[in-house]
Amino acid sequence: MGSIMSKINRRVLAAREGGNVLRCHTVPHHGQYSVGKHSYDALSLLLLLHPEPSMNLVKAVLWHDCAERFVGDMPAPAKWLNQALGEEYEKAEREAQEASGLALPELTEEEQNWLTAVDRVELLLWAEEQSALGNRHILGLVNASWGWLTQNAAKVPQEVLDFVGGFVWRRLDNDPRN
């Protein structure tokens, strides 16, 4: 029993500590943006937009960045500048994910498209929020995110495209009924 609890303990700790990793650390921004916040927001998007997500897809969205606890959050431009570095980083991330007991489940192509879409759209929404707060440093990320959506529209689920197409950033009123 101790061995089983030890494995579960390690998984719980890896998931919790993975959520504390800070994202977008090379871009000046307001407040903090953690893997935990990102994963919660991406999972919320999935649950609100997907008609019936599988448990495998839910797990993948929730845990897709947990390995960053061990390998860090490498800025995308570093991966773009050096493809071999990016490939090695992805390999290290997969190995850390497996070693921590939070290996991502097998996904269908459609599920992978959902994971990628909610991951990218969550980043876009965060960047748009930063822009609404007056952060001019974030405009490159906003533009890159919209560019990614345009270039990859064929793989983005229609529900996500419809949502993004009608999205307007604003704060909700204090009355949740409005």
Side-chain angles (χ1 to χ4, degrees), residues 121-136:
V121 169
E122 191 287 322
L123 177 63
L124 169 63
L125 295 178
W126 175 80
E128 288 283 6
E129 181 179 73
Q130 287 288 312
S131 179
L133 292 170
N135 184 350
R136 293 177 302 184

Side-chain angles (χ1 to χ4, degrees), residues 7-91:
K7 283 183 180 181
I8 292 171
N9 238 10
R10 286 182 45 75
R11 289 177 183 160
V12 168
L13 291 171
R16 290 181 57 81
E17 292 176 17
N20 289 326
V21 173
L22 296 181
R23 292 173 53 86
C24 296
H25 56 279
T26 62
V27 179
H29 60 271
H30 304 292
Q32 289 192 350
Y33 183 37
S34 68
V35 166
K37 168 79 169 128
H38 164 69
S39 298
Y40 170 85
D41 289 347
L43 184 56
S44 293
L45 278 173
L46 177 73
L47 294 173
L48 292 167
L49 299 177
H50 194 296
E52 293 182 21
S54 70
M55 184 54 73
N56 278 352
L57 181 53
V58 168
K59 288 178 183 178
V61 171
L62 186 59
W63 294 334
H64 74 280
D65 284 334
C66 280
E68 290 178 7
R69 152 59 177 90
F70 303 99
V71 299
D73 180 23
M74 181 179 287
K79 297 177 202 174
W80 302 336
L81 286 171
N82 185 323
Q83 185 176 359
L85 175 65
E87 290 170 3
E88 284 300 313
Y89 173 81
E90 299 297 327
K91 179 182 172 192

